[in-house]
Amino acid sequence: MRLDAACAMATGKGRKECRDAVRKGFVTVDGAVVKKADTPVTRDNTVCLAGETLDLREHLYFMLHKPAGTVCTTEDTEESVLRLFPEKYRKRLFCVGRLDKDTTGLLLLTDDGDFDHRLMSPKHHAPKEYAVTLARPLSDTDCLTLEGGITLENGEKTQPCQVTKTGDASCRIVLREGKYHQVKRMLAAVSNRVTALHRCSVGGLPLDPLLAAGQYRELTPEEIALLSET
Ligand code: URA
């Protein structure tokens, strides 16, 4: 890979900006300043831009314990989940699917479009498990109604899903699709209201219990393989 391309890939900056940085002497390869933008580099080289070592891996995969009050957006706003990550990753990463601002739990982030597509496309839709807290008790009939698939307020129909009561006014729902505000709208359709929503797992991968809200970690190669096969 060319040095300017490696810098662009690792930082999310434009190729031209990176080429200029190389020409101006801001980039080192294995400790030495290199000013030729087309110098070939591999992942075995240590490339630094303005003193910061670049991550030359082709793709990045993270799980985040999303805290309430954060937004799934790539816009650089105060509330963006990306603000929980170091700046060097912010231009690369995007969210795999979306969670509402008040929803907590497992959020995957990557820069791998194929990975995102496999997990989110309607064809492959990976199971997503939510712990739901409700304003009112949920009856067994409500569970069966939701499980069979229902018609939402705008006429959209939901696919069959699994609903397990976990308390008088709480349940676990496993969905294999991802309509806008789906869990909240499904519960509204049986005259209830979601008061707290937490995503426990995606594609069989549970949220790491060691991650407190706001913390993240990289996925292991085994976890990436598991999700890629979903
Ligand atoms: N369903 C919702 O209503 N909200 C979410 O954040 C996720 C699923």
Side-chain angles (χ1 to χ4, degrees):
M1 183 174 16
R2 286 171 54 120
L3 182 55
D4 54 354
C7 292
M9 182 202 75
T11 59
K13 295 182 199 291
R15 180 79 83 94
K16 182 171 180 312
E17 194 182 338
C18 291
R19 199 176 313 134
D20 289 346
V22 174
R23 288 184 182 148
K24 286 180 184 155
F26 291 127
V27 177
T28 59
V29 178
D30 301 332
V33 173
V34 173
K35 292 193 175 178
K36 282 190 68 179
D38 62 355
T39 304
V41 287
T42 70
R43 247 159 259 152
D44 295 331
N45 293 118
T46 301
V47 177
C48 297
L49 172 62
E52 190 182 340
T53 305
L54 300 184
D55 192 328
L56 294 186
R57 281 173 297 174
E58 192 183 356
H59 289 304
L60 303 170
Y61 305 89
F62 289 98
M63 72 157 69
L64 168 71
H65 183 163
K66 180 189 175 295
T70 53
V71 177
C72 294
T73 175
T74 48
E75 276 170 38
D76 189 22
T77 62
E78 192 118 326
E79 295 176 324
S80 168
V81 289
L82 291 175
R83 285 283 176 99
L84 297 164
F85 289 80
E87 200 163 352
K88 62 179 177 178
Y89 292 138
R90 284 188 208 156
K91 283 213 173 121
R92 283 182 78 171
L93 295 176
F94 57 85
C95 302
V96 178
R98 280 167 180 256
L99 292 176
D100 297 337
K101 186 172 174 180
D102 53 357
T103 302
T104 58
L106 176 57
L107 180 68
L108 299 171
L109 295 103
T110 186
D111 60 350
D112 181 346
D114 290 339
F115 179 82
D116 171 57
H117 179 73
R118 270 194 306 275
L119 278 168
M120 289 299 131
S121 87
K123 207 169 104 198
H124 298 110
H125 246 309
K128 284 164 290 187
E129 184 180 0
Y130 296 90
V132 189
T133 312
L134 295 161
R136 283 178 282 283
L138 188 70
S139 70
D140 292 341
T141 314
D142 291 338
C143 289
L144 289 174
T145 305
L146 293 168
E147 281 199 326
I150 51 162
T151 305
L152 299 172
E153 79 297 339
N154 65 347
E156 270 185 288
K157 293 194 187 335
T158 64
Q159 299 291 319
C161 62
Q162 280 164 261
V163 183
T164 314
K165 272 182 78 163
T166 51
D168 195 32
S170 61
C171 64
R172 290 221 164 208
I173 297 191
V174 182
L175 299 180
R176 288 183 173 267
E177 57 181 342
K179 298 188 195 305
Y180 184 63
H181 293 327
Q182 183 161 348
V183 175
K184 291 174 185 163
R185 290 163 69 208
M186 284 173 69
L187 271 303
V190 292
S191 307
N192 213 318
R193 187 168 56 84
V194 173
T195 58
L197 187 57
H198 179 84
R199 186 152 71 185
C200 313
S201 73
V202 173
L205 177 70
L207 175 65
D208 187 331
L210 296 176
L211 293 178
Q215 292 183 326
Y216 63 86
R217 70 160 171 80
E218 295 207 33
L219 297 185
T220 65
E222 293 75 23
E223 289 170 341
I224 296 166
L226 169 80
L227 293 173
S228 301
E229 282 159 14
T230 300

